[in-house]
Amino acid sequence: MTASRALSRALILAASVFLPSAGHADTGASEAQRRLERSADRAVAEGQLAKARDLWLQVWQLAPSEKAACNVGQLAFRVGDMARAAEFLALCLERTPAPRSAAERERYASRALDLARVKQEVGALTFAVPPGAQLSIDGRPVGQAPLGREVYVEPGSHRVRAALGAAAKETTVEVRAGEARLLVLDLAPAAPVGGVAPAAPAGGVAPAAPAGGVAPAAPAGGVAPAAPAGAEQATPRALAPAGLPGAAGPAAPGSEGPATALVLLGGAATAGCISLGAIFLAEANGHQRRFDDLLARNHGGYRIAGAELQRAQSAYRAMGRAEERAAIALTAGALLGAGTLIYALLPRSRGPRVTAAGTQLGLEMTW
């Protein structure tokens, strides 16, 4: 009895892999593609599922299609290549048209259940990084931000790197099975060491000193004449305002801090987005428990049908929607938090500053 049940299950699994894609061969397929598909069919008939998966991968590289994605995903699932199975089953569902008939709905539900089972065995990573950053995991390139999709990895420790121009950041992340992680990698350049140089006195550049003496004050609104050849330049002294002998002149404009109201607003918005993301994650976990209970009551999903199948599909769709909303909220919170932190820490000044080096004038501005 046990052997016959195992044989029946194997036949059902083989049918679920190949029957959905056998009915509509791509008439425009190249000869190389048809040859690879025939070789993959022979490999399956001989029980060489890993070889068949690799052949379908070559078909996908030649001509990405629903058929190729679904076969790679389902074969990878059968041989325990869970990260690749999750990646290609997700691509399979993305490329599957909206079901119209009962057979198409059943096929779609079968693929969705396969993806849900596989996602319990792997970790999923999403990234909050500047657009255009190149991403890699364990030295393997995964694309350029924004990816617009999750990257599936085997449970365990992984080295993640993001690079944008000369800026790069690398971190190690620990991922558990069934866990979804959002990674925020800040590639913003650091503030200049030592801060901003003090601004020049108002009204222009201090005049050069005449030979043997101290330079007079610069005329209001202009630049003083240069010192004669061979003259020594002395540091100009601040002039005391009338009636206050010895008092220091007006202070040069220095750096001012960030607006407190903006920092508080950014912090509140960040906390609100993160709290909303946590609420959506809790909602997704509730739908996932409901989905898992339905699978457990129906022998792992192999015999699910009728009203139970509809409830499982509803729970799965609700779980997906909640996860998408959680990802959006958490990404928004991460971006708001990074923006607020950058605004709070970057130096800024009240206005432009004119500098002089010999006969050269320069205008410097910071924000």
Side-chain angles (χ1 to χ4, degrees), residues 78-353:
R78 272 50 177 182
V79 299
D81 185 4
M82 294 304 183
R84 183 173 280 120
E87 176 186 357
F88 278 90
L89 284 173
L91 290 169
C92 169
L93 284 179
E94 287 176 9
R95 291 172 175 265
T96 301
R100 291 189 292 265
S101 65
E104 289 177 347
R105 285 193 292 272
E106 184 177 353
R107 182 173 63 190
Y108 188 91
S110 173
R111 292 172 176 176
L113 289 173
D114 278 348
L115 177 59
R117 283 195 289 263
V118 171
K119 288 176 74 172
Q120 300 306 308
E121 306 295 328
V122 297
L125 299 178
T126 53
F127 301 89
V129 295
Q134 296 291 337
L135 297 165
S136 65
I137 299 178
D138 298 327
R140 176 179 63 89
V142 296
Q144 178 176 299
L147 294 178
R149 59 181 173 85
E150 293 179 313
V151 178
Y152 300 101
V153 295
E154 298 291 343
S157 180
H158 297 278
R159 190 177 74 258
V160 178
R161 187 175 189 271
L164 182 61
K169 183 150 186 190
E170 187 171 305
T171 186
T172 300
V173 59
E174 190 76 25
V175 186
R176 297 190 298 270
E179 181 182 26
R181 296 284 300 272
L182 171 66
L183 297 184
V184 181
L185 300 177
D186 183 13
L187 300 179
V193 178
V196 180
V205 178
V214 179
V223 178
E232 294 183 0
Q233 244 180 306
T235 303
R237 294 179 299 183
L239 297 180
L244 295 175
S255 62
E256 60 180 0
T260 305
L262 285 178
V263 174
L264 292 177
L265 181 61
T270 300
C273 288
I274 292 175
S275 300
L276 189 60
I279 291 171
F280 284 134
L281 282 179
E283 181 183 347
N285 289 335
H287 291 305
Q288 181 177 337
R289 286 193 295 272
R290 181 175 160 222
F291 178 79
D292 292 340
D293 290 342
L294 287 166
L295 291 185
R297 290 206 305 269
N298 290 273
H299 306 279
Y302 289 106
R303 300 180 186 175
I304 191 167
E308 290 285 272
L309 175 58
Q310 292 177 0
R311 283 193 286 270
Q313 291 172 339
S314 175
Y316 179 77
R317 286 192 294 267
M319 176 180 68
R321 286 193 299 269
E323 287 176 344
E324 289 174 359
R325 292 168 182 165
I328 292 171
L330 291 174
T331 302
L335 294 176
L336 281 170
T340 302
L341 189 62
I342 292 170
Y343 171 77
L345 296 182
L346 278 183
R348 56 187 54 76
S349 72
R350 291 179 183 147
R353 179 175 68 254

